[in-house]
Amino acid sequence: MTLQELHDSIKDCQRCRLASGRTQVVFGTGNPHAKIMFVGEAPGFYEDKQGIPFVGAAGKLLNELLEGAGLSRDDVYIANVIKCRPPDNRDPMTDEVETCKPFLLQQIELIKPKVVCTLGNFAMQTLLGKKVGIMKVRGQSFQVKDFFVFPMLHPAAALHQGNLNEPLREDFRKLKAFLDRQQEPVPPVEQMNLFG
Ligand code: URA
């Protein structure tokens, strides 16, 4: 299955109650071969209208942070855990997550990113499967199968709570450092002082 085929297969999804209130399924956008993927919570008002994740105020901040880390939206792939807008942007319900999560996991399988950056508590808990708080794990990498999960604060949280703005920027600096470390060549074995 290709990413496009997966998208086509859920365009008219009626599996949960969110189908009745959405304008369209917001599948995801960006480079289908991206090494870095970003995962948010669910589409908001503008995302629902345009069919593209992170195009509202949080998206503008995300674009700026990506640029600061030397990335652009064309380099990365951006999606959400939940593909349809919850009414009045309420939190997704457990059964909605259970219904939609397999599509996120299939996107990850098809794109094969090396790093999946989760934005906010919700995406982090969905992918790490832990009831841990975002403040404990943000800015660190966790190996999951053949990729790393890198939890970060959600840009919308920083817009609503000014005191999270600097911590969010710190998360992106840590991401850049992590990505730079991944790119460093492994030294040839004879340079590793393994034999004294
Ligand atoms: N917040 C999200 O989590 N996802 C979006 O697509 C937009 C805002």
Side-chain angles (χ1 to χ4, degrees):
M1 151 129 35
T2 66
L3 212 50
Q4 186 60 52
E5 284 166 349
L6 178 62
H7 187 176
D8 291 345
S9 76
I10 61 168
K11 259 188 183 142
D12 302 315
C13 182
Q14 301 290 330
R15 289 173 182 79
C16 85
R17 64 183 79 73
L18 297 180
S20 63
R22 71 166 185 242
T23 306
Q24 55 195 315
V25 169
V26 181
F27 182 72
T29 184
N31 181 349
H33 307 292
K35 296 280 164 269
I36 307 159
M37 198 169 157
F38 287 82
V39 179
E41 180 172 320
F45 179 84
Y46 293 102
E47 290 78 20
D48 173 69
K49 294 279 172 257
Q50 295 186 35
I52 302 170
F54 285 96
V55 288
K60 291 210 174 69
L61 179 53
L62 177 62
N63 291 350
E64 182 200 317
L65 293 162
L66 286 174
E67 211 171 291
L71 300 166
S72 80
R73 286 181 73 120
D74 296 335
D75 299 325
V76 304
Y77 194 89
I78 305 178
N80 286 304
V81 176
I82 297 281
K83 310 296 191 223
C84 298
R85 184 188 180 213
D88 300 319
N89 296 346
R90 66 154 167 76
D91 287 346
M93 294 179 181
T94 308
D95 63 319
E96 293 161 359
V97 179
E98 287 314 307
T99 307
C100 221
K101 183 176 166 182
F103 305 120
L104 173 66
L105 298 182
Q106 284 181 72
Q107 284 176 303
I108 294 174
E109 252 174 47
L110 290 166
I111 295 166
K112 299 187 176 42
K114 298 244 178 297
V115 186
V116 179
C117 302
T118 54
L119 299 171
N121 226 352
F122 187 83
M124 180 275 288
Q125 291 185 345
T126 301
L127 284 182
L128 289 183
K130 292 180 185 166
K131 284 275 162 217
V132 292
I134 183 74
M135 296 315 274
K136 280 228 168 102
V137 292
R138 52 172 275 265
Q140 301 165 61
S141 58
F142 298 86
Q143 177 116 39
V144 176
K145 298 185 190 166
D146 53 352
F147 58 89
F148 288 98
V149 170
F150 195 95
M152 311 175 90
L153 291 170
H154 197 295
L159 290 176
H160 294 132
Q161 290 169 257
N163 61 328
L164 293 180
N165 189 38
E166 180 44 36
L168 173 65
R169 288 173 192 277
E170 181 182 51
D171 288 353
F172 272 81
R173 286 194 295 274
K174 286 191 175 163
L175 173 65
K176 183 167 187 333
F178 175 70
L179 297 175
D180 289 347
R181 276 202 305 280
Q182 301 288 301
Q183 303 227 318
E184 278 170 17
V186 177
V189 82
E190 63 272 21
Q191 289 176 21
M192 288 172 68
N193 291 329
L194 287 181
F195 308 108

